[in-house]
Amino acid sequence: MSDNFTVTDALISASQLNSLDNQYSGTVDATAVTTITGTAADITTVYSSSGIIGLGNEAVNITDNHTLTQLKTINNATSGTITLNNYSVALSGASSDLAAAFAGNFSSSYTGTVTITDAPTVAQLKTINAATTGAITLSDATGALSGSAADLVLAFAGTITGYTGNITITDTHTLSQLKT
């Protein structure tokens, strides 16, 4: 059997890609792939493989519930639209991991609750807040935050519960922004 394989299908399952990767000792060129479908675990395996090349802008359809680690891996690996089986999965983890998991393009709004287990930055909180309509709980509700008035408004625009830390506004702000 040849050392390399070129995928010609635009739509392929993650399990098929993993099977091809295990079958060929060289590389599996998946440049033609525009959509990958499968379980979060199988898709994560695809993106973690050094033997599968040519991916990075394809759409992804996850057919089961995902973990934070899986969503972060998938999101970091593709700029394509990610369709989740369940947009209401509760996620908990470090602010950097949550922000990385939510930084991509989703086909629908995320509605799951989010628990941030460390003190987030304003940028991380903005990303997380923009990505979910679910409640956001800060395990460390006292961490100091600093940023522009506009960024702080966006960071706290959602359903963040119980923040009691100090806030430093680093630019000129409006009364409307302060009321927010």
Side-chain angles (χ1 to χ4, degrees):
M1 192 156 291
S2 172
D3 289 337
N4 301 312
F5 183 82
T6 301
V7 177
T8 57
D9 297 336
L11 172 64
I12 193 166
S13 73
S15 62
Q16 288 173 304
L17 279 173
N18 289 327
S19 178
L20 290 168
D21 189 32
N22 290 330
Q23 187 176 354
Y24 293 91
S25 61
T27 59
V28 174
D29 185 345
T31 304
V33 172
T34 59
T35 305
I36 299 173
T37 300
T39 66
D42 282 347
I43 295 168
T44 301
T45 300
V46 165
Y47 285 130
S48 299
S49 171
S50 61
I52 301 173
I53 62 170
L55 297 174
N57 62 350
E58 58 289 328
V60 174
N61 295 324
I62 301 173
T63 59
D64 65 347
N65 288 348
H66 55 276
T67 66
L68 174 60
T69 301
Q70 291 167 332
L71 190 57
K72 178 183 169 188
T73 299
I74 293 165
N75 193 30
N76 284 341
T78 186
S79 60
T81 301
I82 299 169
T83 301
L84 303 175
N85 177 61
N86 183 352
Y87 288 87
S88 64
V89 172
L91 296 176
S92 178
S95 53
S96 60
D97 291 338
L98 289 160
F102 286 135
N105 302 311
F106 294 93
S107 62
S108 291
S109 296
Y110 203 84
T111 59
T113 60
V114 175
T115 301
I116 303 173
T117 59
D118 61 356
T121 66
V122 171
Q124 291 165 337
L125 196 53
K126 254 178 61 175
T127 299
I128 296 164
N129 196 3
T132 186
T133 59
I136 299 171
T137 302
L138 301 171
S139 293
D140 180 1
T142 62
L145 292 171
S146 177
S148 71
D151 284 347
L152 288 163
V153 165
L154 293 173
F156 287 101
T159 56
I160 296 171
T161 58
Y163 181 75
T164 58
N166 293 325
I167 295 175
T168 303
I169 301 172
T170 60
D171 65 354
T172 304
H173 51 275
T174 65
L175 180 59
S176 174
Q177 289 170 321
L178 286 178
K179 287 180 179 181
T180 301

